[in-house]
Amino acid sequence: MSKVRRLLRLLRLEIWRQFIGWSGAWWFLVTLVVGQSVAPLLGLLIWLEVPSAGPRIGSYYLAVICVGLVTASFENHTFAQSIYSGGLATALLRPQPPVLGPLGENLAIRLWMLLLGMPLIAAVGLSVGASFSVPAVLAAVPALVLAAVLRFLWVWTLAMAAFWTERVHGVVAFGGVLILLIGGSAAPIALLPEPLRSIAQLLPFRSMLGFPAELATGTLTAAEAATGYLVALFWVGALACSAVGAWRLGIRRYSTVGA
Amino acid sequence: MRTVRLFGTAFSLALRGALAYRTNLFFDALLALVQLAASIATIGIVFTRTGLLAGWSAGQMLVLVGTYSLITGLRATFLDPSLADFSEQIRDGRLDAYLLRPANSVLLATTTRHAPVAVVQCILGVGVIISGLRELETIPSPAALAAWFLLTCAGLLIGWATSVGLASLAFWAPRLNLGVLHGAAWEFGRYPIDIYGRCIRQLLTFAFPVAVVTTWPARILVHGPDLGTLLMAVLLAAGFTAGTLLLWRLGLRRYTGATS
């Protein structure tokens, strides 16, 4: 128990350290917010032109923007860079799990993005007349946490491709295309044609983006919500195993200057 | 002529560099294919729910996506590599190397590093345009093709001018990097400007004219040339280019170089 407490304390310190560290790069963080929001904004503008998309489409895309900001992961830039530059060696020498560094930085950046994205969220919310019920938002909170975990595990695992290849940005971009297309950004999952819809409901990408937004908008039945949670939990387990496996294989290959 | 030879040499060098890493080449080409496929799939999904998107049919949208891919590919090939670290070059004085050479400094600094693999995106874009025209069962007239070519050049020039203009702000604020914002605004060209509200439409026509980049060329290729549109595009391209050149000159006056 004391070990868990110690890890949580270390994580809190890492988040705080990174939060302060990133405070000097607020302009860059604003560009990250814009970069993260442009795809769902385009999705919103397109689907507003489609009458059969339904009246809740504005609220749905506003929720997608929020989920996107809270779950954004950039380990292909941060963590992969530490592999390329040899900086990972420093993390390996510390008496703490090496994942704490990337995780703390990830959470600090997300916190900044949410703070700096508030004006955009307010502007979009007002312009589309978005509305949410409190029970629906509360039902979406655990799904949002799972989405944040899943997105980190997904990008971190893909970023570990840096142990083997120099094309890590391409690998993560490929993952990003999947999240965009069948995660709920290009179109809400309910509007996808069959069999794409059934496939999207089983893969992890909807759980990373569209599922919490659907819950917050209140468009799912209790059975659909329960199934969505089961799928999300399954993928958290599967991606956690993949991440651990990739780490163990990757760290065997890793060598740095002087090693 | 000397400038064209210079570009040719720079491209040839970049191509030889790229061909040395065949796995990277294959992977980048694959990614370009996947990204374009995702764009087309998105349009396909929308058109399972509607027959027209803001007055645009599926075939017309394919022509637009193809044009967007073509111009974005040209930008990625010839402009983006030079502009990626432009503000850093101003900050650390590497710009000196371009200013000392006997050629136009703005062209040297902004268009002489190339990424030949991105040409794949252009080729795929042309393929998508052709498939869009086939779906529409339209064969563009020579006049429409010429007008489309002119608009594509105007779009590329505007892409260059807006990128370089924003990057030139680094002369005044060296830590300012608006490249990501430019990329985000450029994304709005992925769809016809008719889907946006009136204010955004005006912005995307006159303030950051992505309308010239995709909507107008695609419309002209499908419906035939329109003199007013062509004239407006040429004026916008000329205006933005002149503005950027002016900004560059003003910026250079402030630039103190690496040894100052």
Side-chain angles (χ1 to χ4, degrees):
Chain A
M1 192 62 199
S2 67
K3 194 181 173 191
V4 174
R5 251 206 314 270
R6 190 173 67 92
L7 284 176
L8 285 175
R9 187 151 181 265
L10 283 170
L11 179 62
R12 216 170 42 237
L13 283 170
E14 185 63 29
I15 294 170
W16 182 242
R17 192 176 74 82
Q18 293 285 354
F19 188 79
I20 298 294
W22 278 87
S23 64
W26 67 270
W27 177 249
F28 178 69
L29 286 162
V30 169
T31 64
L32 289 185
V33 170
V34 174
Q36 200 65 36
S37 308
V38 72
L41 271 176
L42 283 170
L44 168 67
L45 291 165
I46 289 172
W47 287 100
L48 282 175
E49 287 290 320
V50 181
S52 64
R56 303 287 296 153
I57 197 75
S59 303
Y60 169 79
Y61 268 106
L62 179 64
V64 167
I65 291 172
C66 295
V67 175
L69 293 178
V70 175
T71 62
S73 293
F74 302 100
E75 280 66 42
N76 50 323
H77 296 283
T78 54
F79 176 72
Q81 195 53 42
S82 75
I83 295 175
Y84 290 142
S85 68
L88 183 64
T90 315
L92 291 173
L93 292 172
R94 286 183 185 159
Q96 64 178 47
V99 73
L100 276 184
L103 187 58
E105 187 167 27
N106 175 296
L107 293 171
I109 294 175
R110 286 173 179 179
L111 202 55
W112 269 119
M113 286 180 71
L114 183 64
L115 286 171
L116 295 172
M118 284 297 180
L120 176 76
I121 292 168
V124 174
L126 287 173
S127 61
V128 298
S131 61
F132 298 95
S133 73
V134 176
V137 172
L138 288 177
V141 171
L144 182 64
V145 174
L146 289 174
V149 173
L150 273 172
R151 186 86 177 260
F152 171 73
L153 288 172
W154 174 247
V155 178
W156 189 50
T157 306
L158 294 184
M160 277 191 260
F163 284 121
W164 291 273
T165 169
E166 290 173 6
R167 316 308 294 167
V168 70
H169 290 296
V171 174
V172 176
F174 180 71
V177 169
L178 292 174
I179 296 172
L180 177 87
L181 193 61
I182 48 176
S185 182
I189 303 299
L191 297 179
L192 292 178
E194 285 292 355
L196 199 57
R197 181 169 49 205
S198 302
I199 295 168
Q201 279 168 340
L202 292 175
L203 292 176
F205 311 111
R206 177 197 179 214
S207 305
M208 293 179 199
L209 194 65
F211 179 56
E214 288 167 27
L215 282 170
T217 322
T219 51
L220 295 180
T221 62
E224 286 168 337
T227 311
Y229 268 113
L230 283 176
V231 170
L233 284 168
F234 167 77
W235 282 111
V236 166
L239 287 181
C241 291
S242 307
V244 171
W247 172 259
R248 284 184 181 165
L249 287 173
I251 211 67
R252 277 191 214 156
R253 271 184 66 89
Y254 182 66
S255 61
T256 187
V257 179
Chain B
M1 196 60 205
R2 199 174 57 146
T3 311
V4 174
R5 238 186 4 250
L6 198 66
F7 284 151
T9 308
F11 189 78
S12 161
L13 281 171
L15 186 62
R16 275 179 268 173
L19 286 173
Y21 301 95
R22 305 251 166 99
T23 312
N24 292 356
L25 197 74
F26 170 76
F27 201 90
D28 288 344
L30 185 70
L31 188 66
L33 183 68
V34 167
Q35 283 173 336
L36 184 62
S39 280
I40 295 168
T42 303
I43 290 165
I45 292 165
V46 173
F47 279 94
T48 58
R49 294 276 162 178
T50 181
L52 285 175
L53 183 68
W56 288 66
S57 69
Q60 290 171 329
M61 283 294 293
L62 281 178
V63 173
L64 188 141
V65 168
T67 307
Y68 178 82
S69 178
L70 171 66
I71 298 184
T72 306
L74 288 171
R75 248 196 62 186
T77 308
F78 297 106
L79 303 181
D80 290 350
S82 295
L83 293 173
D85 63 343
F86 188 74
S87 50
E88 283 87 350
Q89 287 185 40
I90 292 173
R91 223 169 28 229
D92 61 27
R94 272 181 290 150
L95 198 66
D96 288 1
Y98 297 113
L99 300 178
L100 294 171
R101 287 177 192 166
N104 186 308
S105 62
V106 64
L107 287 179
L108 276 182
T110 61
T111 58
T112 46
R113 278 196 275 165
H114 301 150
V117 184
V119 169
V120 172
Q121 207 177 335
C122 306
I123 297 165
L124 293 171
V126 172
V128 174
I129 294 171
I130 292 169
S131 71
L133 290 171
R134 279 187 67 179
E135 179 149 341
L136 292 167
E137 295 176 347
T138 302
I139 298 173
S141 65
L145 277 173
W148 173 82
F149 181 74
L150 181 68
L151 278 176
T152 304
C153 291
L156 194 61
L157 200 57
I158 285 171
W160 173 82
T162 48
S163 300
V164 176
L166 288 177
S168 297
L169 294 178
F171 283 116
W172 288 270
R175 297 218 168 263
L176 192 67
N177 188 350
L178 299 178
V180 177
L181 290 185
H182 185 274
W186 188 264
E187 286 284 313
F188 280 79
R190 201 179 277 280
Y191 300 102
I193 60 160
D194 307 273
I195 68 165
Y196 307 121
R198 193 168 162 272
C199 286
I200 300 179
R201 230 174 16 234
Q202 297 284 333
L203 277 174
L204 295 179
T205 305
F206 300 109
F208 189 85
V210 292
V212 184
V213 176
T214 50
T215 302
W216 290 359
R219 192 179 283 155
I220 269 185
L221 200 57
V222 174
H223 296 297
D226 168 48
L227 198 61
T229 305
L230 281 173
L231 199 63
M232 180 66 84
V234 170
L235 280 175
L236 281 167
F240 272 84
T241 305
T244 293
L245 291 176
L246 179 67
L247 207 60
W248 175 263
R249 282 191 179 182
L250 291 173
L252 277 188
R253 280 190 205 163
R254 284 182 60 88
Y255 181 67
T256 50
T259 52
S260 306

